[in-house]
Amino acid sequence: MEDETFDDAAEGGSAGAQRVFHALSSAPRRKILAYLSASGLTAGEIADRFSMSKPAVSQHLSVLEAAGLIKRKKQGQFVHYSLIENNLVNVLNGFVQEVCPIGRPIKKESHARARARAK
């Protein structure tokens, strides 16, 4: 994976926007956001949905967290990830997922899983 560091001074203060655009430039990261669209998941639950190593998934989660798109909470031995809900980028991403042929079924699965957990 490429260098994930950004220098605020060198970028004229636009590092936050660059982090967001960098985070959204990756299909696996956009899929992670779709999986988290209705409810949180543990790192293991997220990793189980991808055919890549757990360290690679962890790196994607770190990029999303650094961009301010997701948050993590350690509960016992598990790390739970969820969207930062009142984030304009996440709201716009949710809209895009409604029309995206890849994101729409993932988002639908996420909402179904959330309903099943609520019962």
Side-chain angles (χ1 to χ4, degrees):
M1 207 173 232
E2 63 213 45
D3 184 15
E4 302 293 336
T5 61
F6 296 90
D7 182 2
D8 282 333
E11 298 300 326
S14 65
Q18 287 203 6
R19 281 188 192 96
V20 169
F21 284 114
H22 174 71
L24 295 176
S25 70
S26 163
R29 290 192 287 266
R30 289 191 306 271
K31 287 181 181 180
I32 290 170
L33 291 174
Y35 283 125
L36 295 174
S37 65
S39 68
L41 292 170
T42 66
E45 290 171 325
I46 294 168
D48 289 345
R49 289 168 166 75
F50 292 92
S51 60
M52 65 177 83
S53 69
K54 288 185 179 186
V57 171
S58 179
Q59 199 167 16
H60 284 299
L61 290 167
S62 294
V63 171
L64 290 167
E65 187 176 15
L69 299 174
I70 64 172
K71 60 185 174 184
R72 68 179 156 146
K73 183 176 182 182
K74 184 142 172 79
Q75 294 178 333
Q77 65 183 19
F78 299 102
V79 178
H80 294 261
Y81 288 89
S82 59
L83 288 180
I84 297 177
E85 293 188 20
N86 291 326
N87 181 313
L88 178 60
V89 174
N90 282 333
V91 172
L92 293 172
N93 185 49
F95 172 75
V96 170
Q97 288 172 4
E98 291 297 323
V99 297
C100 174
I102 295 172
R104 187 175 38 241
I106 293 171
K107 190 172 180 180
K108 188 175 180 179
E109 174 192 337
S110 178
H111 284 277
R113 189 180 31 29
R115 283 191 298 274
R117 281 186 178 175
K119 291 181 182 182

